[in-house]
Coordinates of all heavy atoms in Angstrom, one line a residue:
N355 N -33.3 58.4 -26.8 CA -33.5 57.0 -26.7 C -35.0 56.6 -27.1 O -35.2 55.5 -27.6 CB -33.2 56.5 -25.3 CG -31.7 56.4 -25.1 OD1 -31.0 55.7 -25.9 ND2 -31.1 57.1 -24.1
G356 N -35.9 57.6 -26.9 CA -37.3 57.4 -27.2 C -37.5 57.3 -28.7 O -38.4 56.7 -29.2
Y357 N -36.6 57.9 -29.5 CA -36.7 57.9 -30.9 C -35.6 57.0 -31.6 O -35.3 57.2 -32.8 CB -36.6 59.3 -31.5 CG -37.8 60.2 -31.2 CD1 -37.9 61.0 -30.1 CD2 -38.9 60.1 -32.1 CE1 -39.0 61.8 -29.9 CE2 -40.0 60.8 -31.9 CZ -40.1 61.7 -30.8 OH -41.2 62.4 -30.6
Y358 N -35.1 56.1 -30.8 CA -34.0 55.2 -31.3 C -34.4 54.4 -32.6 O -33.7 54.2 -33.5 CB -33.5 54.3 -30.3 CG -32.4 53.4 -30.8 CD1 -31.1 53.8 -30.9 CD2 -32.6 52.1 -31.1 CE1 -30.1 53.0 -31.3 CE2 -31.6 51.2 -31.6 CZ -30.3 51.7 -31.7 OH -29.3 50.9 -32.2
S359 N -35.7 54.1 -32.6 CA -36.2 53.2 -33.7 C -36.1 53.9 -35.1 O -36.0 53.3 -36.1 CB -37.7 52.8 -33.5 OG -38.5 53.9 -33.4
V360 N -36.1 55.3 -35.1 CA -35.9 56.0 -36.3 C -34.5 56.5 -36.5 O -34.2 57.1 -37.5 CB -36.9 57.2 -36.4 CG1 -38.3 56.7 -36.4 CG2 -36.7 58.2 -35.3
K361 N -33.6 56.2 -35.6 CA -32.2 56.6 -35.7 C -31.3 55.4 -35.3 O -30.4 55.6 -34.5 CB -31.9 57.8 -34.8 CG -32.8 59.0 -35.0 CD -32.4 60.1 -34.0 CE -33.3 61.3 -34.1 NZ -32.9 62.4 -33.2
P362 N -31.6 54.2 -35.8 CA -30.9 53.1 -35.3 C -29.5 52.9 -35.9 O -29.2 53.3 -37.1 CB -31.8 51.9 -35.8 CG -32.3 52.4 -37.1 CD -32.5 53.9 -36.9
D363 N -28.6 52.3 -35.1 CA -27.3 51.8 -35.7 C -27.7 50.5 -36.3 O -28.6 49.8 -36.0 CB -26.3 51.6 -34.5 CG -26.0 52.8 -33.8 OD1 -26.0 53.9 -34.5 OD2 -25.7 52.8 -32.6
T364 N -26.8 50.0 -37.3 CA -27.1 48.8 -37.9 C -25.9 47.9 -37.7 O -24.7 48.3 -37.8 CB -27.3 49.0 -39.5 OG1 -26.2 49.7 -40.0 CG2 -28.6 49.7 -39.7
L365 N -26.1 46.6 -37.5 CA -25.1 45.6 -37.4 C -24.4 45.3 -38.7 O -25.1 45.2 -39.7 CB -25.6 44.3 -36.7 CG -26.2 44.5 -35.4 CD1 -26.7 43.1 -34.9 CD2 -25.3 45.0 -34.4
I366 N -23.1 45.2 -38.7 CA -22.3 44.9 -39.9 C -22.3 43.4 -40.0 O -21.8 42.7 -39.1 CB -20.9 45.4 -39.8 CG1 -20.9 47.0 -39.7 CG2 -20.1 45.0 -41.0 CD1 -19.6 47.6 -39.6
A367 N -22.9 42.9 -41.1 CA -22.9 41.4 -41.3 C -21.5 40.9 -41.6 O -20.8 41.5 -42.3 CB -23.9 41.1 -42.4
V368 N -21.2 39.8 -40.9 CA -19.9 39.1 -41.1 C -20.2 37.7 -41.7 O -21.0 37.0 -41.2 CB -19.2 38.9 -39.8 CG1 -17.9 38.2 -40.0 CG2 -18.9 40.3 -39.2
A369 N -19.5 37.4 -42.8 CA -19.7 36.1 -43.5 C -19.2 35.1 -42.5 O -18.1 35.1 -42.1 CB -18.9 36.1 -44.8
P370 N -20.1 34.1 -42.1 CA -19.7 33.1 -41.2 C -18.7 32.2 -41.7 O -18.6 31.9 -42.9 CB -21.0 32.3 -40.9 CG -21.9 32.6 -42.1 CD -21.5 33.9 -42.6
S371 N -17.8 31.7 -40.9 CA -16.8 30.7 -41.3 C -17.5 29.4 -41.6 O -18.6 29.1 -41.1 CB -15.8 30.5 -40.2 OG -15.0 31.7 -40.0
N372 N -16.9 28.6 -42.5 CA -17.5 27.4 -42.9 C -17.0 26.2 -42.2 O -15.8 26.1 -41.7 CB -17.2 27.2 -44.4 CG -17.7 28.4 -45.3 OD1 -18.9 28.8 -45.1 ND2 -16.9 29.0 -46.1
S373 N -17.8 25.2 -42.1 CA -17.4 23.9 -41.5 C -16.4 23.2 -42.4 O -16.3 23.5 -43.6 CB -18.7 23.0 -41.3 OG -19.2 22.6 -42.5
F374 N -15.8 22.2 -41.9 CA -14.7 21.5 -42.6 C -15.3 20.7 -43.8 O -14.5 20.3 -44.7 CB -13.9 20.6 -41.7 CG -14.6 19.4 -41.2 CD1 -14.4 18.1 -41.9 CD2 -15.5 19.4 -40.1 CE1 -15.1 17.0 -41.4 CE2 -16.2 18.3 -39.7 CZ -16.0 17.1 -40.4
V375 N -16.6 20.5 -43.9 CA -17.2 19.8 -45.0 C -18.0 20.7 -45.9 O -18.7 20.2 -46.8 CB -18.0 18.6 -44.6 CG1 -17.1 17.5 -43.9 CG2 -19.1 19.1 -43.6
R376 N -17.9 22.0 -45.7 CA -18.8 23.0 -46.4 C -18.7 22.8 -47.9 O -19.8 22.9 -48.6 CB -18.4 24.4 -46.0 CG -19.3 25.5 -46.7 CD -20.7 25.4 -46.2 NE -21.5 26.5 -46.7 CZ -22.1 26.5 -47.9 NH1 -21.9 25.5 -48.7 NH2 -22.8 27.6 -48.3
Y377 N -17.5 22.7 -48.4 CA -17.4 22.6 -49.9 C -17.1 21.2 -50.4 O -16.7 21.0 -51.5 CB -16.3 23.6 -50.3 CG -16.7 25.0 -50.0 CD1 -16.1 25.7 -49.0 CD2 -17.7 25.6 -50.8 CE1 -16.4 27.1 -48.8 CE2 -18.1 27.0 -50.5 CZ -17.4 27.7 -49.5 OH -17.8 28.9 -49.2
E378 N -17.2 20.2 -49.5 CA -17.0 18.8 -49.9 C -18.2 18.3 -50.7 O -19.3 18.6 -50.4 CB -16.8 17.9 -48.7 CG -15.6 18.3 -47.9 CD -14.3 17.9 -48.5 OE1 -14.3 17.6 -49.7 OE2 -13.3 17.8 -47.8
K379 N -17.9 17.6 -51.8 CA -18.9 17.0 -52.6 C -19.6 15.9 -51.8 O -19.0 15.0 -51.2 CB -18.3 16.4 -53.9 CG -19.4 15.8 -54.8 CD -18.7 15.3 -56.1 CE -19.7 14.8 -57.1 NZ -19.1 14.2 -58.3
G380 N -21.0 15.9 -51.8 CA -21.7 15.0 -51.0 C -23.1 14.8 -51.6 O -23.4 15.4 -52.6
V381 N -23.9 14.0 -51.0 CA -25.3 13.7 -51.5 C -26.2 14.0 -50.3 O -26.0 13.6 -49.2 CB -25.5 12.3 -51.9 CG1 -26.9 12.0 -52.4 CG2 -24.5 11.9 -53.1
T382 N -27.3 14.8 -50.6 CA -28.3 15.2 -49.6 C -29.6 14.5 -49.8 O -30.1 14.5 -51.0 CB -28.4 16.7 -49.5 OG1 -27.2 17.3 -49.2 CG2 -29.4 17.1 -48.4
Y383 N -30.2 13.9 -48.8 CA -31.5 13.3 -48.9 C -32.5 14.1 -48.0 O -32.3 14.2 -46.8 CB -31.5 11.9 -48.4 CG -30.7 10.9 -49.3 CD1 -29.3 10.8 -49.1 CD2 -31.3 10.2 -50.3 CE1 -28.5 10.0 -49.9 CE2 -30.6 9.3 -51.1 CZ -29.2 9.2 -50.9 OH -28.4 8.4 -51.7
N384 N -33.6 14.6 -48.6 CA -34.7 15.2 -47.9 C -35.6 14.1 -47.6 O -36.3 13.6 -48.5 CB -35.3 16.4 -48.7 CG -36.3 17.1 -47.9 OD1 -37.1 16.6 -47.1 ND2 -36.4 18.4 -48.1
L385 N -35.8 13.8 -46.3 CA -36.6 12.6 -46.0 C -38.1 12.7 -46.3 O -38.8 11.7 -46.4 CB -36.4 12.2 -44.5 CG -34.9 11.9 -44.1 CD1 -34.9 11.2 -42.7 CD2 -34.3 10.9 -45.1
D386 N -38.6 13.9 -46.4 CA -40.0 14.1 -46.8 C -40.3 13.7 -48.2 O -41.4 13.5 -48.6 CB -40.4 15.6 -46.6 CG -40.6 15.9 -45.1 OD1 -40.8 14.9 -44.3 OD2 -40.6 17.1 -44.7
H387 N -39.2 13.5 -49.0 CA -39.4 13.1 -50.4 C -39.4 11.5 -50.5 O -39.6 11.0 -51.6 CB -38.2 13.6 -51.3 CG -38.2 15.1 -51.4 ND1 -37.2 15.8 -51.9 CD2 -39.1 16.0 -51.0 CE1 -37.4 17.1 -51.8 NE2 -38.6 17.2 -51.3
F388 N -39.3 10.9 -49.4 CA -39.3 9.4 -49.3 C -40.3 8.9 -48.3 O -40.9 9.7 -47.5 CB -37.9 8.9 -49.0 CG -36.8 9.3 -49.9 CD1 -36.1 10.5 -49.7 CD2 -36.5 8.5 -51.0 CE1 -35.1 10.9 -50.5 CE2 -35.4 8.9 -51.8 CZ -34.8 10.1 -51.6
K389 N -40.6 7.6 -48.4 CA -41.4 7.0 -47.3 C -40.7 7.2 -46.0 O -39.6 7.0 -45.9 CB -41.7 5.6 -47.6 CG -42.5 4.8 -46.6 CD -42.6 3.4 -46.9 CE -43.4 2.7 -45.8 NZ -43.5 1.2 -46.0
R390 N -41.5 7.6 -45.0 CA -40.9 7.9 -43.7 C -40.8 6.6 -42.9 O -41.6 5.7 -42.9 CB -41.8 8.8 -42.9 CG -41.6 10.3 -43.2 CD -40.3 10.8 -42.6 NE -40.1 12.2 -42.8 CZ -39.1 12.8 -42.3 NH1 -38.1 12.2 -41.6 NH2 -38.9 14.1 -42.5
F391 N -39.6 6.5 -42.3 CA -39.3 5.3 -41.4 C -39.0 5.9 -40.0 O -38.4 6.9 -39.8 CB -38.1 4.6 -41.9 CG -38.3 3.9 -43.3 CD1 -37.9 4.6 -44.4 CD2 -39.0 2.7 -43.4 CE1 -38.2 4.0 -45.7 CE2 -39.2 2.1 -44.6 CZ -38.8 2.8 -45.8
P392 N -39.4 5.1 -39.0 CA -39.2 5.6 -37.6 C -37.8 5.5 -37.0 O -37.4 6.2 -36.1 CB -40.2 4.8 -36.8 CG -40.2 3.5 -37.6 CD -40.1 3.9 -39.0
T393 N -36.9 4.7 -37.6 CA -35.6 4.5 -37.1 C -34.5 4.9 -38.1 O -34.7 4.8 -39.3 CB -35.4 3.0 -36.6 OG1 -35.3 2.2 -37.8 CG2 -36.5 2.5 -35.7
M394 N -33.4 5.3 -37.5 CA -32.3 5.6 -38.4 C -31.7 4.4 -39.2 O -31.3 4.5 -40.3 CB -31.1 6.3 -37.6 CG -31.5 7.5 -36.9 SD -32.0 8.9 -38.0 CE -30.4 9.3 -38.7
T395 N -31.8 3.3 -38.5 CA -31.3 2.0 -39.2 C -32.1 1.8 -40.5 O -31.6 1.4 -41.6 CB -31.4 0.8 -38.3 OG1 -30.5 1.1 -37.1 CG2 -30.9 -0.4 -39.0
E396 N -33.4 1.9 -40.4 CA -34.3 1.7 -41.5 C -34.0 2.8 -42.6 O -34.1 2.5 -43.8 CB -35.8 1.8 -41.1 CG -36.2 0.6 -40.3 CD -37.6 0.7 -39.8 OE1 -37.9 1.6 -38.9 OE2 -38.5 0.0 -40.3
V397 N -33.8 4.0 -42.2 CA -33.5 5.1 -43.2 C -32.3 4.7 -44.0 O -32.2 4.8 -45.2 CB -33.3 6.4 -42.4 CG1 -32.7 7.5 -43.4 CG2 -34.6 6.9 -41.9
F398 N -31.2 4.3 -43.3 CA -30.0 3.9 -44.0 C -30.2 2.7 -44.9 O -29.7 2.6 -46.0 CB -28.8 3.6 -43.0 CG -28.5 4.8 -42.2 CD1 -28.1 4.7 -40.9 CD2 -28.5 6.1 -42.8 CE1 -27.7 5.8 -40.1 CE2 -28.1 7.2 -42.0 CZ -27.8 7.1 -40.7
T399 N -30.9 1.7 -44.4 CA -31.1 0.5 -45.2 C -32.0 0.7 -46.4 O -31.7 0.2 -47.5 CB -31.8 -0.6 -44.3 OG1 -30.9 -0.8 -43.2 CG2 -32.0 -1.9 -45.1
E400 N -33.1 1.5 -46.3 CA -34.1 1.6 -47.3 C -33.8 2.8 -48.3 O -34.2 2.8 -49.4 CB -35.5 1.8 -46.7 CG -35.9 0.7 -45.8 CD -36.0 -0.7 -46.6 OE1 -36.3 -0.6 -47.8 OE2 -35.9 -1.7 -46.0
I401 N -33.1 3.8 -47.8 CA -32.9 5.0 -48.6 C -31.5 5.3 -49.0 O -31.2 5.5 -50.2 CB -33.5 6.3 -47.9 CG1 -34.9 6.1 -47.6 CG2 -33.2 7.5 -48.7 CD1 -35.5 7.2 -46.7
M402 N -30.5 5.2 -48.1 CA -29.2 5.6 -48.3 C -28.3 4.3 -48.4 O -27.8 3.8 -47.4 CB -28.7 6.5 -47.2 CG -29.5 7.7 -47.0 SD -29.0 8.7 -45.6 CE -27.4 9.3 -46.1
K403 N -28.1 3.8 -49.6 CA -27.5 2.6 -49.9 C -26.0 2.6 -49.6 O -25.3 1.6 -49.3 CB -27.7 2.1 -51.3 CG -29.1 2.0 -51.7 CD -29.9 1.0 -50.9 CE -31.4 0.9 -51.4 NZ -32.1 0.0 -50.5
I404 N -25.4 3.8 -49.6 CA -23.9 4.0 -49.4 C -23.6 3.9 -47.9 O -22.5 3.7 -47.5 CB -23.4 5.3 -50.0 CG1 -23.8 5.3 -51.5 CG2 -21.9 5.5 -49.8 CD1 -23.1 4.2 -52.3
V405 N -24.6 4.2 -47.1 CA -24.5 4.2 -45.6 C -25.1 2.9 -45.1 O -26.2 2.5 -45.5 CB -25.1 5.4 -45.0 CG1 -25.0 5.3 -43.5 CG2 -24.6 6.7 -45.5
Y406 N -24.4 2.2 -44.2 CA -24.9 1.0 -43.7 C -24.4 0.8 -42.2 O -23.5 1.5 -41.7 CB -24.4 -0.2 -44.5 CG -22.9 -0.4 -44.5 CD1 -22.3 -1.4 -43.6 CD2 -22.0 0.3 -45.3 CE1 -20.9 -1.6 -43.6 CE2 -20.6 0.1 -45.2 CZ -20.1 -0.9 -44.4 OH -18.7 -1.1 -44.3
T407 N -25.1 -0.1 -41.5 CA -24.7 -0.5 -40.2 C -24.0 -1.8 -40.1 O -24.3 -2.7 -41.0 CB -26.0 -0.5 -39.3 OG1 -26.9 -1.5 -39.7 CG2 -26.6 0.9 -39.2
A408 N -23.1 -2.0 -39.2 CA -22.4 -3.2 -39.0 C -22.0 -3.4 -37.6 O -22.2 -2.5 -36.7 CB -21.1 -3.2 -39.9

Side-chain angles (χ1 to χ4, degrees):
N355 284 303
Y357 286 95
Y358 179 79
S359 60
V360 296
K361 305 178 182 182
D363 299 327
T364 55
L365 299 179
I366 298 176
V368 177
S371 295
N372 299 312
S373 68
F374 71 97
V375 292
R376 178 66 173 83
Y377 296 108
E378 298 283 18
K379 184 178 180 180
V381 179
T382 301
Y383 292 85
N384 188 321
L385 297 194
D386 283 341
H387 296 169
F388 301 87
K389 179 183 177 180
R390 277 288 186 174
F391 296 96
T393 68
M394 297 297 289
T395 300
E396 290 175 291
V397 169
F398 296 143
T399 302
E400 301 297 333
I401 300 176
M402 303 175 66
K403 305 299 183 182
I404 303 299
V405 180
Y406 65 98
T407 59

